[in-house]
Amino acid sequence: MSGATPAKHGGPLSGTVREQLARAGSATVANMLLRRGLRNAVMAGVRPLADGGQPLVGPAYTLRFIPAREDLDTLADYASSDNVHRRAIEECPPGAVLVIDAFGSTAAASMGDMMAARLKNRGVSGVVTDGGYRDSGAIRRTGLPCFHRDNAPRATPIALHPVALDEPVGCGGVAVYPGDVLLGDGDGVVVVPRGLASDIAAEAADAAAYEEFAALGIRRGRSLFGLFPGTPESRQEYDTWVAAGRPGLE
């Protein structure tokens, strides 16, 4: 249908889907989406703030910025309880991922450490922006999974004006609709349409498990041919290996 948009949110994301996506990883999930014709699912230039952290998984709750304007973006306005940026921190649902469309700008901060600490305290899963953060070291210490383009130490009102919550946005060149599922890890951030999340998670989890079997064979000197990508014969070997309790995995 022309002009159609996905339904919002789609209910809570199950623990099983979260676990399957986290285990599979963003690269594997991107391949599963590619098989369905979705080529533009990985955010460009968006990377983890902290190396080696836990994967980020959750449904999107969005905030959109436009360029700031001097007569509107003042410190007094920023301190208001009506400020959309501050509202995003208090209204992003627990378990969700706050996705901040900063139109690729690192001229000012998409978030600072106090906001990150509040989100962590409220049970939000993490934050993704195609802009940047200030107080990066302090944000890392909160333990909140965060992804960004680069550091952005200047105060938000200098360059960014918040205009909308919980609406479709673009982040890192990828369309994000409220409720879409985000997976972020060391490889980057991938966006999964909510209606596909359960199927993608199950398929990706199976692919990740098969890769463990293939990696074991490669460590033992086996050729890629006939092993990876899998063949009907190697998948049968895999099923036998699983039934035997996955011997050889450390």
Side-chain angles (χ1 to χ4, degrees), residues 4-69:
T5 58
K8 277 192 178 183
H9 305 301
L13 189 65
S14 76
T16 298
V17 170
R18 286 179 183 269
E19 182 180 345
Q20 288 175 329
L21 290 173
R23 179 185 176 192
S26 61
T28 297
V29 169
N31 281 345
M32 300 301 104
L33 290 167
L34 180 59
R35 290 180 183 179
R36 289 165 168 80
L38 295 170
R39 297 175 178 272
N40 187 38
V42 179
M43 293 184 182
V46 175
R47 56 188 176 81
L49 179 64
D51 294 331
Q54 293 296 313
L56 165 66
V57 183
Y61 182 86
T62 63
L63 164 65
R64 180 166 62 89
F65 282 118
I66 63 172
R69 203 173 76 181

Short mmCIF file of all heavy atoms in Angstrom, two decimals, residues 4-69:
data_model
loop_
_atom_site.label_atom_id
_atom_site.label_comp_id
_atom_site.label_asym_id
_atom_site.label_seq_id
_atom_site.Cartn_x
_atom_site.Cartn_y
_atom_site.Cartn_z
N ALA A 4 2.10 3.52 3.22
CA ALA A 4 1.85 2.80 4.46
C ALA A 4 3.08 2.84 5.35
O ALA A 4 4.21 2.86 4.89
CB ALA A 4 1.47 1.35 4.16
N THR A 5 2.85 2.87 6.66
CA THR A 5 3.94 2.80 7.63
C THR A 5 3.65 1.67 8.60
O THR A 5 2.49 1.33 8.85
CB THR A 5 4.07 4.12 8.42
OG1 THR A 5 2.84 4.39 9.09
CG2 THR A 5 4.41 5.27 7.50
N PRO A 6 4.70 1.08 9.18
CA PRO A 6 4.49 -0.02 10.11
C PRO A 6 3.70 0.43 11.34
O PRO A 6 3.77 1.59 11.76
CB PRO A 6 5.92 -0.42 10.51
CG PRO A 6 6.78 0.11 9.41
CD PRO A 6 6.11 1.36 8.93
N ALA A 7 2.96 -0.50 11.92
CA ALA A 7 2.26 -0.20 13.17
C ALA A 7 3.27 0.05 14.28
O ALA A 7 4.33 -0.55 14.32
CB ALA A 7 1.35 -1.37 13.54
N LYS A 8 2.93 0.96 15.19
CA LYS A 8 3.85 1.30 16.27
C LYS A 8 4.00 0.17 17.28
O LYS A 8 3.03 -0.47 17.66
CB LYS A 8 3.37 2.56 17.01
CG LYS A 8 3.76 3.87 16.34
CD LYS A 8 3.50 5.01 17.29
CE LYS A 8 3.92 6.34 16.68
NZ LYS A 8 3.74 7.46 17.62
N HIS A 9 5.22 -0.01 17.69
CA HIS A 9 5.61 -0.80 18.86
C HIS A 9 5.32 -2.29 18.74
O HIS A 9 6.25 -3.08 18.69
CB HIS A 9 4.99 -0.20 20.13
CG HIS A 9 5.33 1.24 20.30
ND1 HIS A 9 6.61 1.70 20.40
CD2 HIS A 9 4.52 2.34 20.33
CE1 HIS A 9 6.62 3.02 20.51
NE2 HIS A 9 5.37 3.43 20.47
N GLY A 10 4.09 -2.74 18.72
CA GLY A 10 3.82 -4.17 18.58
C GLY A 10 3.95 -4.95 19.87
O GLY A 10 4.13 -6.17 19.83
N GLY A 11 3.87 -4.30 21.02
CA GLY A 11 3.92 -5.00 22.28
C GLY A 11 5.34 -5.24 22.76
O GLY A 11 6.31 -4.96 22.06
N PRO A 12 5.49 -5.79 23.97
CA PRO A 12 6.82 -6.03 24.54
C PRO A 12 7.61 -7.01 23.69
O PRO A 12 7.07 -7.92 23.07
CB PRO A 12 6.50 -6.63 25.92
CG PRO A 12 5.09 -6.24 26.21
CD PRO A 12 4.40 -6.17 24.88
N LEU A 13 8.93 -6.82 23.69
CA LEU A 13 9.83 -7.74 22.99
C LEU A 13 10.16 -8.89 23.93
O LEU A 13 10.60 -8.68 25.06
CB LEU A 13 11.10 -7.00 22.59
CG LEU A 13 12.07 -7.73 21.68
CD1 LEU A 13 11.42 -7.98 20.32
CD2 LEU A 13 13.34 -6.91 21.52
N SER A 14 9.95 -10.12 23.48
CA SER A 14 10.14 -11.26 24.36
C SER A 14 11.60 -11.46 24.71
O SER A 14 12.51 -11.11 23.95
CB SER A 14 9.60 -12.54 23.71
OG SER A 14 10.49 -13.02 22.71
N GLY A 15 11.82 -12.07 25.86
CA GLY A 15 13.18 -12.39 26.27
C GLY A 15 13.87 -13.34 25.32
O GLY A 15 15.09 -13.25 25.10
N THR A 16 13.10 -14.24 24.73
CA THR A 16 13.68 -15.18 23.77
C THR A 16 14.22 -14.46 22.55
O THR A 16 15.34 -14.74 22.09
CB THR A 16 12.63 -16.22 23.34
OG1 THR A 16 12.22 -16.96 24.48
CG2 THR A 16 13.20 -17.17 22.29
N VAL A 17 13.43 -13.52 22.01
CA VAL A 17 13.88 -12.77 20.84
C VAL A 17 15.13 -11.96 21.19
O VAL A 17 16.10 -11.91 20.42
CB VAL A 17 12.76 -11.87 20.31
CG1 VAL A 17 13.28 -10.90 19.26
CG2 VAL A 17 11.64 -12.72 19.72
N ARG A 18 15.13 -11.31 22.33
CA ARG A 18 16.30 -10.53 22.76
C ARG A 18 17.54 -11.43 22.82
O ARG A 18 18.62 -11.08 22.32
CB ARG A 18 16.06 -9.91 24.14
CG ARG A 18 15.11 -8.74 24.16
CD ARG A 18 14.92 -8.23 25.57
NE ARG A 18 13.97 -7.15 25.66
CZ ARG A 18 14.27 -5.85 25.57
NH1 ARG A 18 15.54 -5.50 25.39
NH2 ARG A 18 13.34 -4.93 25.66
N GLU A 19 17.40 -12.58 23.45
CA GLU A 19 18.53 -13.49 23.62
C GLU A 19 19.03 -14.02 22.28
O GLU A 19 20.24 -14.10 22.03
CB GLU A 19 18.13 -14.65 24.53
CG GLU A 19 19.25 -15.64 24.82
CD GLU A 19 18.81 -16.76 25.73
OE1 GLU A 19 17.74 -16.65 26.36
OE2 GLU A 19 19.54 -17.76 25.81
N GLN A 20 18.10 -14.39 21.41
CA GLN A 20 18.50 -14.93 20.10
C GLN A 20 19.23 -13.89 19.27
O GLN A 20 20.24 -14.20 18.62
CB GLN A 20 17.26 -15.44 19.36
CG GLN A 20 16.68 -16.72 19.93
CD GLN A 20 15.40 -17.13 19.24
OE1 GLN A 20 14.63 -16.29 18.77
NE2 GLN A 20 15.13 -18.43 19.20
N LEU A 21 18.73 -12.66 19.26
CA LEU A 21 19.39 -11.62 18.49
C LEU A 21 20.77 -11.31 19.05
O LEU A 21 21.75 -11.18 18.30
CB LEU A 21 18.53 -10.35 18.47
CG LEU A 21 17.25 -10.42 17.66
CD1 LEU A 21 16.42 -9.16 17.87
CD2 LEU A 21 17.54 -10.61 16.17
N ALA A 22 20.87 -11.19 20.37
CA ALA A 22 22.15 -10.88 20.99
C ALA A 22 23.18 -11.96 20.69
O ALA A 22 24.36 -11.67 20.42
CB ALA A 22 21.97 -10.71 22.49
N ARG A 23 22.75 -13.20 20.74
CA ARG A 23 23.67 -14.30 20.48
C ARG A 23 24.12 -14.33 19.03
O ARG A 23 25.28 -14.60 18.72
CB ARG A 23 23.00 -15.63 20.83
CG ARG A 23 23.89 -16.84 20.56
CD ARG A 23 23.17 -18.15 20.79
NE ARG A 23 24.02 -19.27 20.43
CZ ARG A 23 23.59 -20.51 20.30
NH1 ARG A 23 22.32 -20.79 20.52
NH2 ARG A 23 24.42 -21.48 19.96
N ALA A 24 23.22 -14.00 18.11
CA ALA A 24 23.53 -14.08 16.69
C ALA A 24 24.50 -12.99 16.26
O ALA A 24 25.42 -13.24 15.47
CB ALA A 24 22.25 -14.00 15.88
N GLY A 25 24.31 -11.77 16.74
CA GLY A 25 25.17 -10.66 16.36
C GLY A 25 24.63 -9.89 15.17
O GLY A 25 23.86 -10.41 14.34
N SER A 26 25.07 -8.64 15.06
CA SER A 26 24.50 -7.74 14.05
C SER A 26 24.85 -8.17 12.63
O SER A 26 24.04 -8.01 11.71
CB SER A 26 24.98 -6.30 14.30
OG SER A 26 26.39 -6.21 14.21
N ALA A 27 26.04 -8.70 12.40
CA ALA A 27 26.43 -9.10 11.05
C ALA A 27 25.56 -10.24 10.54
O ALA A 27 25.11 -10.24 9.39
CB ALA A 27 27.91 -9.49 11.02
N THR A 28 25.32 -11.23 11.40
CA THR A 28 24.47 -12.36 11.00
C THR A 28 23.04 -11.90 10.76
O THR A 28 22.40 -12.31 9.78
CB THR A 28 24.50 -13.45 12.09
OG1 THR A 28 25.84 -13.96 12.19
CG2 THR A 28 23.55 -14.60 11.76
N VAL A 29 22.54 -11.03 11.62
CA VAL A 29 21.17 -10.53 11.45
C VAL A 29 21.05 -9.73 10.17
O VAL A 29 20.05 -9.82 9.45
CB VAL A 29 20.76 -9.69 12.68
CG1 VAL A 29 19.47 -8.94 12.43
CG2 VAL A 29 20.62 -10.60 13.91
N ALA A 30 22.07 -8.94 9.84
CA ALA A 30 22.04 -8.18 8.58
C ALA A 30 21.95 -9.13 7.39
O ALA A 30 21.25 -8.84 6.41
CB ALA A 30 23.29 -7.31 8.47
N ASN A 31 22.63 -10.27 7.46
CA ASN A 31 22.54 -11.26 6.38
C ASN A 31 21.14 -11.85 6.28
O ASN A 31 20.62 -12.08 5.18
CB ASN A 31 23.55 -12.39 6.61
CG ASN A 31 24.95 -12.00 6.20
OD1 ASN A 31 25.15 -11.01 5.51
ND2 ASN A 31 25.93 -12.78 6.63
N MET A 32 20.50 -12.08 7.42
CA MET A 32 19.13 -12.61 7.40
C MET A 32 18.18 -11.60 6.74
O MET A 32 17.27 -11.98 6.00
CB MET A 32 18.65 -12.91 8.82
CG MET A 32 19.48 -13.93 9.59
SD MET A 32 19.60 -15.55 8.82
CE MET A 32 21.27 -15.50 8.15
N LEU A 33 18.40 -10.32 7.03
CA LEU A 33 17.56 -9.29 6.41
C LEU A 33 17.83 -9.19 4.91
O LEU A 33 16.90 -8.99 4.11
CB LEU A 33 17.83 -7.94 7.09
CG LEU A 33 17.33 -7.82 8.53
CD1 LEU A 33 17.91 -6.59 9.20
CD2 LEU A 33 15.81 -7.77 8.57
N LEU A 34 19.10 -9.33 4.53
CA LEU A 34 19.44 -9.28 3.11
C LEU A 34 18.72 -10.39 2.33
O LEU A 34 18.27 -10.17 1.20
CB LEU A 34 20.96 -9.41 2.94
CG LEU A 34 21.48 -9.39 1.50
CD1 LEU A 34 21.10 -8.10 0.80
CD2 LEU A 34 23.00 -9.57 1.51
N ARG A 35 18.59 -11.56 2.93
CA ARG A 35 17.88 -12.65 2.28
C ARG A 35 16.42 -12.28 2.01
O ARG A 35 15.79 -12.86 1.13
CB ARG A 35 17.94 -13.91 3.15
CG ARG A 35 19.32 -14.54 3.22
CD ARG A 35 19.30 -15.77 4.09
NE ARG A 35 20.64 -16.35 4.22
CZ ARG A 35 20.92 -17.43 4.94
NH1 ARG A 35 19.94 -18.05 5.62
NH2 ARG A 35 22.15 -17.89 5.00
N ARG A 36 15.90 -11.34 2.77
CA ARG A 36 14.53 -10.89 2.57
C ARG A 36 14.46 -9.61 1.74
O ARG A 36 13.42 -8.97 1.66
CB ARG A 36 13.85 -10.68 3.93
CG ARG A 36 13.56 -11.99 4.66
CD ARG A 36 13.23 -11.74 6.13
NE ARG A 36 12.69 -12.92 6.77
CZ ARG A 36 13.42 -13.94 7.20
NH1 ARG A 36 14.74 -13.91 7.04
NH2 ARG A 36 12.85 -14.98 7.79
N GLY A 37 15.59 -9.22 1.16
CA GLY A 37 15.61 -8.07 0.29
C GLY A 37 15.86 -6.74 0.97
O GLY A 37 15.78 -5.69 0.32
N LEU A 38 16.16 -6.75 2.27
CA LEU A 38 16.39 -5.51 3.02
C LEU A 38 17.90 -5.24 3.06
O LEU A 38 18.63 -5.81 3.86
CB LEU A 38 15.83 -5.63 4.44
CG LEU A 38 14.31 -5.78 4.50
CD1 LEU A 38 13.86 -6.14 5.90
CD2 LEU A 38 13.62 -4.50 4.04
N ARG A 39 18.35 -4.34 2.18
CA ARG A 39 19.77 -4.09 2.02
C ARG A 39 20.29 -2.97 2.91
O ARG A 39 21.49 -2.94 3.24
CB ARG A 39 20.06 -3.72 0.56
CG ARG A 39 19.74 -4.84 -0.43
CD ARG A 39 19.94 -4.37 -1.87
NE ARG A 39 19.68 -5.46 -2.80
CZ ARG A 39 20.61 -6.33 -3.21
NH1 ARG A 39 21.84 -6.22 -2.76
NH2 ARG A 39 20.30 -7.29 -4.06
N ASN A 40 19.43 -2.04 3.27
CA ASN A 40 19.88 -0.85 4.02
C ASN A 40 19.39 -0.95 5.46
O ASN A 40 18.44 -0.28 5.87
CB ASN A 40 19.36 0.43 3.37
CG ASN A 40 19.93 1.67 4.02
OD1 ASN A 40 21.10 1.70 4.39
ND2 ASN A 40 19.12 2.70 4.16
N ALA A 41 20.04 -1.80 6.24
CA ALA A 41 19.60 -2.05 7.61
C ALA A 41 20.68 -1.73 8.64
O ALA A 41 20.39 -1.68 9.83
CB ALA A 41 19.17 -3.50 7.77
N VAL A 42 21.91 -1.54 8.21
CA VAL A 42 23.03 -1.29 9.13
C VAL A 42 23.38 0.19 9.10
O VAL A 42 23.65 0.77 8.05
CB VAL A 42 24.26 -2.13 8.75
CG1 VAL A 42 25.42 -1.83 9.69
CG2 VAL A 42 23.93 -3.62 8.78
N MET A 43 23.38 0.81 10.27
CA MET A 43 23.68 2.24 10.37
C MET A 43 25.12 2.53 9.98
O MET A 43 26.05 1.85 10.44
CB MET A 43 23.41 2.74 11.78
CG MET A 43 21.95 2.70 12.17
SD MET A 43 21.70 3.41 13.82
CE MET A 43 19.93 3.16 14.00
N ALA A 44 25.31 3.54 9.14
CA ALA A 44 26.64 3.92 8.68
C ALA A 44 27.35 4.79 9.71
O ALA A 44 26.79 5.79 10.17
CB ALA A 44 26.54 4.66 7.35
N GLY A 45 28.57 4.41 10.07
CA GLY A 45 29.40 5.25 10.92
C GLY A 45 29.02 5.27 12.38
O GLY A 45 29.57 6.06 13.15
N VAL A 46 28.09 4.42 12.80
CA VAL A 46 27.65 4.40 14.20
C VAL A 46 28.33 3.23 14.90
O VAL A 46 28.22 2.09 14.46
CB VAL A 46 26.12 4.28 14.29
CG1 VAL A 46 25.67 4.14 15.74
CG2 VAL A 46 25.47 5.51 13.65
N ARG A 47 29.03 3.51 15.99
CA ARG A 47 29.86 2.50 16.63
C ARG A 47 29.66 2.56 18.15
O ARG A 47 29.16 3.55 18.69
CB ARG A 47 31.33 2.75 16.29
CG ARG A 47 31.80 4.16 16.65
CD ARG A 47 33.19 4.47 16.13
NE ARG A 47 33.58 5.84 16.40
CZ ARG A 47 34.05 6.28 17.56
NH1 ARG A 47 34.19 5.44 18.58
NH2 ARG A 47 34.39 7.55 17.73
N PRO A 48 30.09 1.51 18.85
CA PRO A 48 29.91 1.52 20.30
C PRO A 48 30.79 2.55 20.98
O PRO A 48 31.94 2.76 20.60
CB PRO A 48 30.30 0.09 20.72
CG PRO A 48 31.10 -0.45 19.60
CD PRO A 48 30.64 0.23 18.36
N LEU A 49 30.25 3.19 22.00
CA LEU A 49 31.03 4.14 22.80
C LEU A 49 32.10 3.42 23.59
O LEU A 49 33.21 3.92 23.77
CB LEU A 49 30.09 4.90 23.74
CG LEU A 49 30.73 5.94 24.67
CD1 LEU A 49 31.35 7.08 23.86
CD2 LEU A 49 29.71 6.48 25.65
N ALA A 50 31.77 2.22 24.08
CA ALA A 50 32.71 1.42 24.88
C ALA A 50 32.96 0.09 24.18
O ALA A 50 32.00 -0.59 23.80
CB ALA A 50 32.16 1.19 26.28
N ASP A 51 34.21 -0.28 24.03
CA ASP A 51 34.55 -1.56 23.43
C ASP A 51 34.26 -2.70 24.39
O ASP A 51 34.42 -2.56 25.62
CB ASP A 51 36.02 -1.60 23.03
CG ASP A 51 36.35 -0.62 21.92
OD1 ASP A 51 35.45 -0.33 21.11
OD2 ASP A 51 37.50 -0.13 21.87
N GLY A 52 33.85 -3.84 23.83
CA GLY A 52 33.70 -5.04 24.65
C GLY A 52 32.48 -5.07 25.54
O GLY A 52 32.40 -5.91 26.44
N GLY A 53 31.52 -4.20 25.31
CA GLY A 53 30.32 -4.17 26.14
C GLY A 53 29.31 -5.22 25.73
O GLY A 53 29.48 -5.94 24.74
N GLN A 54 28.25 -5.30 26.50
CA GLN A 54 27.17 -6.23 26.20
C GLN A 54 26.41 -5.77 24.95
O GLN A 54 26.29 -4.58 24.69
CB GLN A 54 26.20 -6.31 27.38
CG GLN A 54 26.79 -6.95 28.63
CD GLN A 54 27.16 -8.40 28.40
OE1 GLN A 54 26.39 -9.17 27.84
NE2 GLN A 54 28.35 -8.77 28.82
N PRO A 55 25.87 -6.72 24.17
CA PRO A 55 25.05 -6.32 23.02
C PRO A 55 23.84 -5.50 23.47
O PRO A 55 23.32 -5.69 24.57
CB PRO A 55 24.61 -7.66 22.41
CG PRO A 55 25.60 -8.66 22.88
CD PRO A 55 26.03 -8.19 24.25
N LEU A 56 23.44 -4.60 22.62
CA LEU A 56 22.26 -3.77 22.85
C LEU A 56 21.11 -4.33 22.04
O LEU A 56 21.24 -4.48 20.82
CB LEU A 56 22.56 -2.33 22.42
CG LEU A 56 21.38 -1.39 22.26
CD1 LEU A 56 20.72 -1.14 23.61
CD2 LEU A 56 21.83 -0.08 21.64
N VAL A 57 20.00 -4.64 22.69
CA VAL A 57 18.82 -5.14 21.99
C VAL A 57 17.58 -4.48 22.59
O VAL A 57 17.44 -4.43 23.82
CB VAL A 57 18.67 -6.67 22.11
CG1 VAL A 57 17.46 -7.15 21.29
CG2 VAL A 57 19.93 -7.39 21.65
N GLY A 58 16.69 -4.01 21.74
CA GLY A 58 15.43 -3.46 22.24
C GLY A 58 14.65 -2.75 21.16
O GLY A 58 15.19 -2.42 20.09
N PRO A 59 13.37 -2.50 21.41
CA PRO A 59 12.54 -1.77 20.46
C PRO A 59 12.83 -0.27 20.50
O PRO A 59 13.17 0.28 21.54
CB PRO A 59 11.11 -2.07 20.94
CG PRO A 59 11.26 -2.34 22.41
CD PRO A 59 12.60 -2.98 22.58
N ALA A 60 12.69 0.37 19.36
CA ALA A 60 13.05 1.77 19.22
C ALA A 60 12.01 2.71 19.81
O ALA A 60 10.81 2.54 19.58
CB ALA A 60 13.27 2.11 17.75
N TYR A 61 12.49 3.70 20.54
CA TYR A 61 11.72 4.88 20.91
C TYR A 61 12.55 6.05 20.40
O TYR A 61 13.74 6.15 20.70
CB TYR A 61 11.54 4.98 22.43
CG TYR A 61 10.71 6.16 22.87
CD1 TYR A 61 9.32 6.09 22.92
CD2 TYR A 61 11.33 7.36 23.23
CE1 TYR A 61 8.56 7.19 23.31
CE2 TYR A 61 10.57 8.46 23.63
CZ TYR A 61 9.19 8.36 23.67
OH TYR A 61 8.44 9.45 24.06
N THR A 62 11.96 6.94 19.61
CA THR A 62 12.76 7.87 18.84
C THR A 62 12.66 9.33 19.29
O THR A 62 11.64 9.77 19.80
CB THR A 62 12.37 7.81 17.35
OG1 THR A 62 10.99 8.21 17.21
CG2 THR A 62 12.54 6.41 16.79
N LEU A 63 13.75 10.03 19.06
CA LEU A 63 13.86 11.48 19.27
C LEU A 63 14.50 12.07 18.02
O LEU A 63 15.50 11.54 17.53
CB LEU A 63 14.73 11.79 20.49
CG LEU A 63 15.25 13.22 20.64
CD1 LEU A 63 14.12 14.21 20.87
CD2 LEU A 63 16.27 13.29 21.78
N ARG A 64 13.91 13.15 17.50
CA ARG A 64 14.47 13.78 16.30
C ARG A 64 14.91 15.20 16.59
O ARG A 64 14.16 15.99 17.17
CB ARG A 64 13.44 13.77 15.17
CG ARG A 64 13.95 14.40 13.87
CD ARG A 64 13.05 14.08 12.69
NE ARG A 64 11.70 14.60 12.87
CZ ARG A 64 11.31 15.81 12.48
NH1 ARG A 64 12.18 16.65 11.94
NH2 ARG A 64 10.05 16.20 12.67
N PHE A 65 16.13 15.51 16.17
CA PHE A 65 16.67 16.86 16.23
C PHE A 65 16.66 17.50 14.85
O PHE A 65 16.77 16.80 13.82
CB PHE A 65 18.13 16.85 16.71
CG PHE A 65 18.32 16.66 18.19
CD1 PHE A 65 19.00 15.56 18.68
CD2 PHE A 65 17.87 17.61 19.08
CE1 PHE A 65 19.22 15.40 20.03
CE2 PHE A 65 18.08 17.48 20.45
CZ PHE A 65 18.76 16.36 20.93
N ILE A 66 16.57 18.83 14.81
CA ILE A 66 16.88 19.63 13.64
C ILE A 66 17.93 20.65 14.06
O ILE A 66 18.24 20.78 15.25
CB ILE A 66 15.63 20.33 13.06
CG1 ILE A 66 15.04 21.33 14.07
CG2 ILE A 66 14.59 19.31 12.63
CD1 ILE A 66 13.91 22.19 13.49
N PRO A 67 18.52 21.41 13.12
CA PRO A 67 19.51 22.41 13.53
C PRO A 67 18.90 23.45 14.47
O PRO A 67 17.74 23.84 14.35
CB PRO A 67 19.93 23.05 12.21
CG PRO A 67 19.71 21.97 11.20
CD PRO A 67 18.47 21.26 11.65
N ALA A 68 19.71 23.87 15.42
CA ALA A 68 19.26 24.86 16.40
C ALA A 68 19.11 26.25 15.77
O ALA A 68 19.69 26.55 14.72
CB ALA A 68 20.26 24.93 17.55
N ARG A 69 18.29 27.08 16.44
CA ARG A 69 18.14 28.48 16.05
C ARG A 69 18.25 29.33 17.30
O ARG A 69 17.65 29.01 18.34
CB ARG A 69 16.79 28.69 15.34
CG ARG A 69 16.80 29.91 14.44
CD ARG A 69 15.53 29.99 13.64
NE ARG A 69 14.41 30.46 14.46
CZ ARG A 69 13.16 30.60 14.00
NH1 ARG A 69 12.89 30.27 12.76
NH2 ARG A 69 12.21 31.05 14.79
#
